[in-house]
Amino acid sequence: MRAEALSLVEAVKQSVGLLRRHLDVETAERRLAELNAKVEDPNLWNDAEAAQKIMRERTDLDDRLGSLARFESELEDAVGLIELAEAEGDADVEQEGIDQLKNLKLEAERRQIEALLSGEADANDTYIEVHSGAGGTESCDWARMLFRMYARWAERHKFKVDVIEETSGDEAGLKSGVILVKGHNAHGWAKTESGVHRLVRISPFDSAARRHTSFASVWVYPVIDDRIEIDVKESDCRIDTYRSSGAGGQHINTTDSAVRITHIPSGIVVACQGERSQHKNRATAWNMLRARLYEQELEKREAAASATEASKTDIGWGHQIRSYVLQPYQLVKDLRTGTTSGTPDDVLDGDLDPFMEAALAQRLEGGAQAAIEDVE
């Protein structure tokens, strides 16, 4: 085989080997057999919470073991295709086999990163919250673009997306919005997106067609398990109700169904208007507040455990993590990792995996280095 094909084969084999070692295939297969037996128990759903946990673990193990088997099978098929094409002198078919190897390599590398998502809340569902910055309509429009970008990213991963809160701008766009992304490792993948995002473009709202710079902030925090105790005193909170301002038909604007909770000691504010019932919105807002407080506690623990977390102090207003330039040239650049894309339209349509993977890899490398330094 050509050198390019041999290199790709070796890279895929290396990734698959690392995945096998990380998963511990024999142990995983035994555990999957145990879970399959539990699933067949007719009394399983007597405890719905325990049943859901079992089903999630079973699905995860089945997916990871199935991926390994598929990688090995597809690698064998691609190698066979290339060898056959070389024997028959068919360059087009040979290139097809090489393209298959390239795709397999990218997916295997992504699985490697995903396999290392072992943070306390990485496997959980996640909230993604977007706020417009200073700049009026221009920034509100940018916040709306980011809101859509994360929804499209979630849909690409076949995650479920629920709109929790959506406050429209005075003229266009979005002042703030929250989506709930439901899926395995949703938080683990999205957690590095917290920070300030900068847009440079010719403003569609400027009659003089001048270039504008806009900012919006993104905050990502995990949905927490009901069994995790978070002490929130109602006396420490201010609860406001108001009329919803987002989409939802006539009824949504006729009652004060939206709920905003301000946690006075921490200054954390959450809001929910996704349901017509004030009672349901209130319950969701309390869950969001507990999640935010839990995420805050996780940050404190991580900061104490690893010096690399000190960099989080730079992820705040005025400290952008990524720039999206639409004019005078086309470029998206992550300022933490140096990852770039020359197709901003694709990124804004949810093609965020390269940026997330690079940020996760950087964080994992930093954590590993910190652990080595601690040992030394």
Side-chain angles (χ1 to χ4, degrees):
M1 284 191 292
R2 283 164 37 188
E4 181 184 14
L6 288 170
S7 176
L8 289 167
V9 169
E10 185 58 35
V12 174
K13 284 183 177 179
Q14 184 177 13
S15 292
V16 170
L18 289 170
L19 286 170
R20 291 185 70 87
R21 286 196 292 276
H22 188 273
L23 180 58
D24 188 353
V25 172
E26 290 185 5
T27 301
E29 287 175 341
R30 284 197 300 270
R31 178 57 179 163
L32 182 59
E34 292 172 6
L35 293 170
N36 285 334
K38 289 183 178 181
V39 167
E40 293 173 3
D41 185 346
N43 298 317
L44 173 68
W45 289 95
N46 290 348
D47 184 342
E49 187 175 328
Q52 288 174 353
K53 183 178 179 181
I54 288 170
M55 294 300 292
R56 281 196 299 269
E57 185 183 357
R58 176 181 176 272
T59 300
D60 179 45
L61 276 178
D62 189 54
D63 176 59
R64 292 166 73 182
L65 286 167
S67 292
L68 274 176
R70 180 172 57 81
F71 283 142
E72 291 169 339
S73 174
E74 290 186 5
L75 176 60
E76 186 177 340
D77 290 345
V79 169
L81 183 65
I82 292 170
E83 289 176 344
L84 180 63
E86 287 180 341
E88 296 181 354
D90 192 329
D92 290 339
V93 173
E94 182 183 3
Q95 187 58 49
E96 182 183 337
I98 289 174
D99 290 342
Q100 288 178 12
L101 287 175
K102 288 178 179 178
N103 292 332
L104 202 57
K105 176 176 178 287
L106 289 173
E107 189 177 353
E109 288 173 346
R110 181 180 179 277
R111 284 282 184 168
Q112 264 185 262
I113 294 172
E114 191 172 47
L116 296 173
L117 294 179
S118 55
E120 192 167 358
D122 281 354
N124 294 20
D125 301 336
T126 194
Y127 294 105
I128 301 180
E129 189 171 319
V130 179
H131 292 272
S132 63
T137 302
E138 187 68 33
S139 288
C140 287
D141 191 54
W142 174 222
R144 170 70 72 185
M145 292 166 68
L146 287 174
F147 199 64
R148 177 188 178 278
M149 179 181 77
Y150 288 113
R152 291 287 296 118
W153 166 77
E155 289 164 2
R156 282 173 178 237
H157 284 262
K158 295 181 171 55
F159 293 151
K160 183 181 178 184
V161 180
D162 291 338
V163 176
I164 301 299
E165 190 268 338
E166 195 173 355
T167 301
S168 300
D170 294 334
E171 297 180 23
L174 197 71
K175 286 184 178 178
S176 66
V178 183
I179 58 173
L180 170 58
V181 180
K182 298 179 179 179
H184 182 65
N185 281 337
H187 180 67
W189 278 109
K191 64 184 180 182
T192 59
E193 290 296 295
S194 290
V196 175
H197 297 243
R198 169 180 174 259
L199 173 70
V200 179
R201 66 171 177 174
I202 301 297
S203 171
F205 305 101
D206 187 339
S207 58
R210 291 171 293 192
R211 192 163 67 246
H212 284 245
T213 299
S214 307
F215 295 91
S217 64
V218 174
W219 189 256
V220 180
Y221 49 101
V223 174
I224 61 172
D225 194 295
D226 288 339
R227 291 169 297 176
I228 297 173
E229 294 294 331
I230 301 293
D231 184 24
V232 186
K233 297 178 181 177
E234 193 161 341
S235 59
D236 287 340
C237 300
R238 185 177 71 247
I239 302 174
D240 301 307
T241 58
Y242 58 98
R243 291 189 179 182
S244 302
S245 63
Q250 294 180 348
H251 176 84
I252 200 168
N253 290 314
T254 61
T255 60
D256 292 340
S257 59
V259 175
R260 181 189 301 111
I261 301 178
T262 303
H263 185 248
I264 296 168
S266 66
I268 291 173
V269 180
V270 297
C272 179
Q273 62 179 35
E275 303 286 347
R276 292 187 175 188
S277 160
Q278 184 185 118
H279 175 74
K280 290 182 179 179
N281 283 332
R282 182 185 292 258
T284 300
W286 277 114
N287 287 337
M288 291 170 65
L289 177 59
R290 291 175 66 243
R292 284 286 298 272
L293 290 169
Y294 176 66
E295 199 271 347
Q296 187 179 71
E297 179 60 28
L298 280 182
E299 281 191 341
K300 290 177 183 176
R301 275 191 249 164
E302 289 176 0
S306 172
T308 60
E309 293 301 313
S311 64
K312 281 193 173 184
T313 58
D314 290 334
I315 301 179
W317 198 256
H319 298 278
Q320 68 217 35
I321 64 168
R322 190 175 302 143
S323 287
Y324 306 70
V325 181
L326 305 186
Q327 280 98 13
Y329 52 88
Q330 300 255 310
L331 181 70
V332 180
K333 181 174 182 179
D334 194 291
L335 305 180
R336 301 162 300 175
T337 65
T339 304
T340 62
S341 170
T343 55
D345 287 347
D346 290 343
V347 176
L348 293 172
D349 198 40
D351 186 14
L352 290 168
D353 284 1
F355 296 95
M356 291 181 175
E357 289 169 8
L360 284 169
Q362 183 184 69
R363 181 177 288 195
L364 291 166
E365 287 166 7
Q369 184 60 40
I372 292 169
E373 290 171 357
D374 286 344
V375 171
E376 293 174 347

